[in-house]
Amino acid sequence: MTVTVRFAPSPTGRIHIGNARTALFNWLFAVNNKGRFIQRFDDTDIARSKQEFADSILYDLHWLGVFPDVTEYQSRRVEIYDAAVERLKAARVLYACYETPEELDLRRKVRRTRGQPPVYGREALTLTPEQVAEYESDGRRPHWRFLLPNFTSDPLQPERTEVHWNDLVRGEETVDLASLSDPVLLREDGTYLYTLPSVVDDIEMGVTHVIRGDDHVTNTGVQIALFQALGAEPPVFGHHNLLTTVSGEGLSKRTGALSIESLRGDGIEPMAVASLAVLVGTSENVTAAHDLSELARHFDPAATSKSAAKFDPDELFVLNRTLMHHMPFEEARDRLIVLGISGDKAESFWLAVRGNLDRLSDAVAWWRILSDGPQEAAEFSGEDRDFLHQAFDLLPEEPWNGTVWKDWTGKIREATGRKGKPLFMPLRLALTGRSSGPELADLLPLMGREGTLARRP
Ligand code: GLU
């Protein structure tokens, strides 16, 4: 059987790094198992779901290197869910309820004061046909609950009923169905909550592995019961830990915090995002993988910790720098052209500066420094100015070879007696306007003799 996974966000905002973790866990699992990846938009909440968010999610996934085999929208599949509803009704495991949210709230409070668990007491099952007719004539419409299989013969007498599965991430898991309320599958306006469409799609689309956040562990107990009620074998489940901010807060699509879009805007490379999103909160070291195939080799769902993983955005910059430092020119070339960096010096320029970049766009400032001179002229003491005049007078004639910097500074040392920082720092400041940066030995040939002399203070 072909391994088939799916990433199923609701398109209600831009995805963040925590969502990317789920997408990538699925993608890498598919890569490692030569499987299929379904992009499924859980957009049954029509009021909050937007096509523009679905489009932006696809864009973000492509940016990360995730290319779904197929894209599906739940809002276009309602007839299939309606058919499943009919099956559940015929099997008498879907029942109509008429309570208002206020009534339910009140009942929960009463149960709590009696020391009972605040689960739904299945009161709707005891309604007489007359009571139902009265609700209907009052204009109430039913919502529909799934009767959890947690009783022997009387649903009003639930008993401990364990659902077990071997979680890809967490190992043996158990949910007691008697500890849960019968879930509402259909709202009174006829729209679907997430629970049923997800199971129906997983069956219909041949999903073999459901990998998602551990906020769904309890749902899984319910959904396994639903798979069985619909006559299907449940898939394998895996629940990964969620990412939180350093202060322990959860991430939300709605706030836009740490969205893939904002990280891209900050100049973070896709592989920095992907490496951190996948490796944080696992027993693997967080290092920057060069591409998703390399990351797939480091990926083992069972190596994921069970507790929440704190995520520090600063780590993205560390990974980004590593990626910059090793990025071959061929990979950077087109992006540099877009930034106005091209021509026969582009490659040696890139190799000279990449080790000093936090992000690729930082190359622009260095390109300007090399072509137009320091952005701000440095201030020098009289002594340093004299030293620099002497130094610039010693600049070797062209043609230059690879040792020009060594030759030049050797001559300066001999003539002035300066060495170490007092020799190099005034030169660096005069040449670049900055006190740190790429090796001057690499920059000097890029400036050429004329360009270098133009920087004489
Ligand atoms: N739409 C659900 C969510 O975003 C999908 C969960 C699942 O993967 O089943 O949480």
Side-chain angles (χ1 to χ4, degrees), residues 136-205:
E136 295 274 349
S137 69
D138 284 353
R140 285 205 200 185
R141 290 281 157 269
H143 54 275
W144 296 81
R145 288 190 191 256
F146 172 51
L147 185 65
L148 289 170
N150 57 9
F151 56 93
T152 311
S153 54
D154 180 2
L156 299 179
Q157 302 288 329
E159 301 156 6
R160 183 170 179 88
T161 309
E162 292 184 352
V163 173
H164 300 277
W165 71 94
N166 188 3
D167 197 282
L168 269 181
V169 175
R170 300 162 62 89
E172 282 304 320
E173 278 291 337
T174 304
V175 167
D176 171 17
L177 294 183
S179 68
L180 305 175
S181 295
D182 287 339
V184 177
L185 302 188
L186 264 171
R187 297 187 186 89
E188 58 192 37
D189 64 1
T191 59
Y192 286 94
L193 281 106
Y194 142 84
T195 312
L196 178 68
S198 179
V199 169
V200 172
D201 283 345
D202 289 341
I203 297 171
E204 291 269 328
M205 297 174 186

Side-chain angles (χ1 to χ4, degrees), residues 317-330:
F317 285 98
V318 176
L319 297 172
N320 221 47
R321 278 193 283 274
T322 313
L323 289 166
M324 287 295 121
H325 297 182
H326 297 102
M327 187 179 284
F329 176 64
E330 292 65 43

Side-chain angles (χ1 to χ4, degrees), residues 6 8-10 40 42 194 198 210-212 215-216 223 253:
R6 84 297 193 280
S10 48
R40 191 183 83 203
D42 286 3
Y194 142 84
S198 179
V210 170
I211 304 175
R212 56 187 178 184
D215 49 338
H216 285 289
Q223 288 187 324
K253 272 214 273 322

